[in-house]
Amino acid sequence: MKPQSIIPLLFLILLTSLMGCGQRHTSAWSQLDVVDSLMEERPDTALQILQAIDVASLGGKEERGRYSLLHAMALDKCWIDTTDFSVIEPATQWYSNHGTPDERLKMWYYQGRIARNADSLDLAMQCYVHASYYIDHARDPRHLPPPRCPKQHSTLYIRL
């Protein structure tokens, strides 16, 4: 093989391998989009869709984190007070270092809700304080918890 013909071949191999390194989403990603769009108006329907998704089939950490955050949100909005931190753990792992300010705000807020449900008031307060760091940078007006964050702070402060 001539050296000139090797260069395009190497470039093609490099390009193919780089494309394979990206975060891949499974078919569940589009279902998570639907869940996200239903969350404010129909959280019960959003929860039903989430419960129908096979968690084992979810792709990488980003998809598991998004599912986890949406699940915690749906439970809270359906007045199901979970104390199980494993519900939001994948979201905590992903959004601690990734995601938009909106996603990070929601992750901290709903982690605080679970801590409060578990009567872990110090942890809940820490989570709400972390959530408040993202309020000024959040852009998505749908289902953001900022109006509730100060209320959660004051309620916990009184109980402490």
Side-chain angles (χ1 to χ4, degrees):
M1 226 181 211
K2 294 180 183 179
Q4 293 85 359
S5 63
I6 292 176
I7 293 174
L9 181 61
L10 289 174
F11 179 74
L12 182 61
I13 292 170
L14 178 65
L15 183 63
T16 305
S17 67
L18 288 175
M19 288 175 65
C21 292
Q23 185 74 26
R24 297 190 192 269
H25 298 139
T26 67
S27 60
W29 191 263
S30 60
Q31 290 177 295
L32 296 178
D33 288 338
V34 172
V35 167
D36 192 28
S37 70
L38 293 171
M39 191 60 70
E40 270 307 293
E41 300 297 323
R42 304 196 43 212
D44 54 331
T45 304
L47 183 58
Q48 288 175 345
I49 294 169
L50 285 167
Q51 290 172 334
I53 294 173
D54 178 16
V55 179
S57 72
L58 294 175
K61 292 179 182 179
E62 179 183 16
E63 195 166 73
R64 290 178 187 277
R66 185 174 186 214
Y67 172 90
S68 170
L69 179 58
L70 290 169
H71 190 212
M73 290 171 65
L75 290 172
D76 188 66
K77 289 178 181 293
C78 289
W79 302 96
I80 300 171
D81 293 338
T82 185
T83 58
D84 183 4
F85 285 98
S86 69
V87 169
I88 200 156
E89 183 60 28
T92 303
Q93 289 177 0
W94 177 257
Y95 293 115
S96 291
N97 297 311
H98 304 91
T100 66
D102 298 272
E103 293 164 330
R104 288 176 154 197
L105 184 150
K106 288 183 264 189
M107 179 272 295
W108 283 113
Y109 176 79
Y110 287 101
Q111 185 176 6
R113 293 288 294 153
I114 293 171
R116 185 161 191 255
N117 293 340
D119 209 31
S120 181
L121 303 182
D122 288 338
L123 178 57
M125 179 63 89
Q126 290 172 16
C127 290
Y128 294 141
V129 168
H130 281 290
S132 69
Y133 295 149
Y134 295 99
I135 290 174
D136 292 335
H137 304 288
R139 302 247 188 263
D140 188 355
R142 296 174 306 129
H143 52 77
L144 283 179
R148 295 189 293 242
C149 280
K151 181 181 178 212
Q152 298 297 338
H153 284 131
S154 62
T155 303
L156 288 177
Y157 185 74
I158 291 168
R159 289 187 68 192
L160 291 173

